Amino acid sequence: MNVKTPSRLEKVLAAGHLAVTSECGPPRGSDPQVIEEKANLIKDYVDAVNITDNQTSVTRMCSLAACIRLKQMGLDPVLQMVTRDRNRIALQSDILGAASFDIHNILCLSGDHQSFGDNPQGQNVHDIDSMQLIQTVRRMRDEGKFLGGDDIKRPPQMFVGAAANPFADPFEIRVPRLAKKVKAGAEFIQTQCIYNIDKFEEWMKGVRDRGLHEKVYILAGMTPMKSVGMAKYMKNRVPGMDVPDEIIKRLSGVPKDKQADEGIQICIEHIQRLKEVEGVAGFHIMAIEWEQKVPEIVKGAGLYPRPDVA
Amino acid sequence: MIVADRKPIEEIIEEVKGYKHILVLGCNECVTVCEAGGKKEVGVLASALRMHAMNEGREVQIDEHTLERQCDHEYLEEIRDRIDQYDAVVSLACGVGVQFMAEKYHSTPIYPGVNTTFLGATEERGLWTERCQACGSCILARTGGICPIARCAKRLLNGPCGGSSSGRCEINKDVDCAWHLIIERLKALGKLEDYEELSPLKDWSKDRAGGPRKVVREDVQL
Ligand code: SF4
């Protein structure tokens, strides 16, 4: 796979390294330090950092502004963009805004439904969907054209990513759905948090059977459990999440003050196992409001130091 | 059909509390089928308004009438000779009927008696569900006859999203995931491979987004 953009993440992947990405949720306020502090905790342990876009539909500082901060700190940000809150005019416009700061990665998402957030009475936009956002960025980059057909002066140079949930239903279309995202133009995938390793491997087999792992870089999504309470919440309350009982059992088996360590340990073991799976190109470590643990996980999983590709 | 739901009675009482002579006007079409604004509901609402006024010691006259349709000039004309008697009309028609009434009887206050809710069908007695959003350019040929615009909470044209779980939508376990239904249907039709066709960006100019819509048919105009 040739490099098509100046993205650091793309270079790491193209060079055949297992990539490591992580993410930061922007603050519910305008203090820029929050982002900087989080970024400083992880910056030497990852190749790129996602900034979430009003995740779970809770209003926060915008992803684009937070990405600019990271860029100015010398990091390689991944701009997450949901189609829930912006129409095609605003999406293209924000893409150009990001490109003007040389933000070179984008993750195209549809976004959680607004009923989960702090404005359940709000309208949702969904003018286009995540697949169509992938197509939009690719068109802007590769053809240098707006959706309306006009030429873009200095088109964006973005490495285009998408999410995949190997565990959502119906399972039988989970591989076809990935194929569709690849067809739309996705170049890297960050998966939903993986706890059910067997099921993920089954999905990866389907991915390999269709040769999709040769067309798209798949980063396995990992989120360490902080406690058995979190595991139960994820299992029962978070749509599309598959947490096997053995994880809950294992966490319940240790005293409360050791559960966080156990959660990190499980995460490291999972990464180690998944490193061996053909087609896994790296890891996306989402330590939600627990960024300080990312270095430990990356080191523990043998993914440190990060390669120098610049 | 157009599905409507009854408005809270307190809301209607509050709107019409200043009037003495009120006409409660039903419609014999969709709102009768969905049991929100037909002859029966006109009777129920009129009695409730009378009772409330009586309890408050106010004298009011509430008349009841139900038209064949409120979205049709011809039927609305039926009440032209009586309309001036009324201080106000509570229309139990859908929003179309309410507006048509207001346009026709320009100096009579009209109040909606129902919340017009969606284009849907009767699944069983007492249960109506949404099927169509009148987007103006039907895509059902490409989605197995199931509409993701009306039935997917994110109107995804290339669904399902990652929140689909056991056939249910991420917003609520009581709501079917439209994309799950589409996939089941494509399977039943032996066309699952159609799932991998990317659906193009939708032209929303035929939808509400394009402004108020009009259908002009010169071939049938008089
Ligand atoms: S779960 Fe299904 S119906 Fe609900 S938003 Fe996702 S794709 Fe649409």
Side-chain angles (χ1 to χ4, degrees):
Chain A
M1 291 186 237
N2 293 329
V3 178
K4 296 194 191 112
T5 72
S7 155
R8 180 184 151 83
L9 176 61
E10 185 181 10
K11 282 186 199 135
V12 169
L13 288 162
H17 303 289
L18 280 171
V20 179
T21 57
S22 184
E23 70 182 34
C24 291
R28 302 208 67 208
S30 62
D31 185 355
Q33 262 188 345
V34 179
I35 283 288
E36 286 172 15
E37 279 164 17
K38 282 184 178 179
N40 276 325
L41 289 172
I42 59 177
K43 69 174 178 7
D44 298 331
Y45 299 86
V46 298
D47 306 309
V49 179
N50 289 40
I51 299 283
T52 52
D53 181 7
N54 296 299
Q55 79 265 28
T56 62
S57 303
V58 173
T59 317
R60 291 169 181 275
M61 181 194 289
C62 76
S63 172
L64 175 53
C67 279
I68 294 169
R69 293 261 163 214
L70 293 194
K71 185 75 196 184
Q72 288 170 342
M73 291 171 72
L75 276 74
D76 191 31
V78 180
L79 176 73
Q80 293 198 186
M81 264 211 174
V82 301
T83 59
R84 178 191 61 224
D85 307 323
R86 301 173 186 84
N87 71 1
R88 62 189 80 179
I89 302 171
L91 289 165
Q92 293 176 90
S93 160
D94 282 358
I95 289 165
L96 290 185
S100 78
F101 283 93
D102 292 324
I103 288 165
H104 296 310
N105 309 287
I106 184 168
L107 188 77
C108 304
L109 305 166
S110 56
D112 295 316
H113 192 263
Q114 72 276 10
S115 58
F116 294 102
D118 62 340
N119 285 284
Q121 300 91 346
Q123 181 63 271
N124 57 17
V125 180
H126 298 298
D127 175 13
I128 64 176
D129 65 20
S130 58
M131 296 260 185
Q132 296 166 340
L133 180 57
I134 297 168
Q135 289 175 298
T136 301
V137 192
R138 286 294 302 262
R139 177 178 161 95
M140 290 174 79
R141 182 189 83 191
D142 299 342
E143 296 167 37
K145 298 254 188 230
F146 287 106
L147 287 175
D150 293 342
D151 290 337
I152 299 172
K153 296 197 184 80
R154 192 179 186 264
Q157 290 187 287
M158 286 182 174
F159 186 41
V160 182
N165 184 353
F167 310 106
D169 293 320
F171 188 65
E172 67 216 276
I173 58 100
R174 286 292 132 193
V175 173
R177 184 156 177 76
L178 178 71
K180 209 168 164 177
K181 288 200 173 175
V182 172
K183 194 158 140 193
E187 296 164 308
F188 72 97
I189 294 289
Q190 291 171 322
T191 77
Q192 171 71 286
C193 319
I194 301 161
Y195 299 105
N196 188 339
I197 303 282
D198 294 339
K199 197 158 176 190
F200 177 74
E201 287 188 340
E202 189 187 335
W203 180 74
M204 279 304 301
K205 184 177 180 306
V207 169
R208 286 193 304 272
D209 287 348
R210 290 191 54 172
L212 294 170
H213 65 306
E214 280 158 0
K215 298 187 179 142
V216 69
Y217 298 107
I218 296 171
L219 309 191
M222 311 305 302
T223 293
M225 295 288 193
K226 274 184 188 172
S227 65
V228 69
M230 172 176 170
K232 284 184 181 157
Y233 180 84
M234 299 270 256
K235 182 184 177 76
N236 300 322
R237 304 295 293 277
V238 181
M241 192 74 74
D242 183 343
V243 182
D245 288 331
E246 68 216 48
I247 301 273
I248 292 176
K249 230 185 260 163
R250 188 166 156 189
L251 287 165
S252 331
V254 299
K256 239 194 162 89
D257 61 331
K258 293 273 183 317
Q259 283 176 2
D261 290 344
E262 192 70 12
I264 300 283
Q265 192 49 40
I266 294 173
C267 185
I268 290 171
E269 286 169 22
H270 283 176
I271 294 177
Q272 265 154 352
R273 183 163 154 200
L274 293 180
K275 275 163 92 175
E276 308 304 322
V277 175
E278 190 192 347
V280 171
F283 296 90
H284 179 51
I285 303 170
M286 298 163 272
I288 306 157
E289 298 302 322
W290 214 20
E291 288 83 1
Q292 66 272 26
K293 290 293 177 186
V294 170
E296 189 180 330
I297 295 169
V298 174
K299 281 196 220 151
L303 294 165
Y304 186 80
R306 300 308 312 144
D308 185 5
V309 290
Chain B
M1 66 173 160
I2 296 174
V3 177
D5 198 4
R6 294 167 308 167
K7 257 194 190 299
I9 179 83
E10 302 77 28
E11 194 181 320
I12 300 172
I13 288 170
E14 185 58 28
E15 298 290 3
V16 302
K17 66 180 180 214
Y19 300 112
K20 285 212 156 62
H21 198 178
I22 300 168
L23 174 65
V24 178
L25 189 64
C27 177
N28 220 359
E29 294 282 347
C30 313
V31 289
T32 296
V33 182
C34 66
E35 304 191 40
K39 197 164 179 221
K40 191 178 79 195
E41 293 75 31
V42 165
V44 172
L45 176 63
S47 311
L49 291 175
R50 279 183 211 114
M51 191 97 82
H52 182 264
M54 209 165 75
N55 288 345
E56 295 213 315
R58 275 191 295 118
E59 218 168 280
V60 295
Q61 189 184 329
I62 315 255
D63 290 353
E64 305 172 21
H65 192 70
T66 296
L67 294 175
E68 201 46 45
R69 273 203 286 285
Q70 288 190 35
C71 57
D72 200 315
H73 284 296
E74 189 188 328
Y75 295 108
L76 277 185
E77 280 301 329
E78 277 177 24
I79 53 167
R80 178 162 302 277
D81 54 345
R82 326 165 29 193
I83 193 78
D84 288 339
Q85 310 168 20
Y86 298 106
D87 305 329
V89 176
V90 176
S91 164
L92 295 193
C94 68
V96 180
V98 175
Q99 292 183 63
F100 230 50
M101 269 291 290
E103 284 164 34
K104 199 162 205 69
Y105 301 117
H106 212 58
S107 56
T108 307
I110 313 281
Y111 293 92
V114 298
N115 289 322
T116 305
T117 309
F118 51 76
L119 301 182
T122 312
E123 282 206 29
E124 56 187 70
R125 184 91 198 265
L127 175 65
W128 295 272
T129 52
E130 182 162 20
R131 288 291 182 279
C132 178
Q133 291 223 330
C135 73
S137 49
C138 191
I139 58 162
L140 286 168
R142 288 191 272 119
T143 56
I146 291 157
C147 182
I149 294 167
R151 301 183 67 185
C152 164
K154 300 175 191 167
R155 61 176 186 189
L156 302 179
L157 292 176
N158 295 287
C161 74
S164 179
S165 175
S166 313
R168 301 303 164 144
C169 175
E170 72 171 26
I171 62 161
N172 190 325
K173 286 196 166 65
D174 297 333
V175 178
D176 289 326
C177 168
W179 273 97
H180 194 103
L181 298 175
I182 292 169
I183 287 152
E184 290 300 318
R185 171 91 168 134
L186 290 177
K187 260 199 280 181
L189 295 172
K191 286 183 165 180
L192 194 55
E193 71 281 359
D194 284 6
Y195 172 75
E196 288 191 37
E197 291 292 317
L198 278 162
S199 176
L201 275 67
K202 186 158 170 76
D203 173 1
W204 293 110
S205 69
K206 307 283 186 286
D207 174 72
R208 175 213 61 82
R213 294 166 282 175
K214 220 183 232 182
V215 175
V216 183
R217 286 275 308 278
E218 279 168 11
D219 56 330
V220 293
Q221 279 174 341
L222 296 175

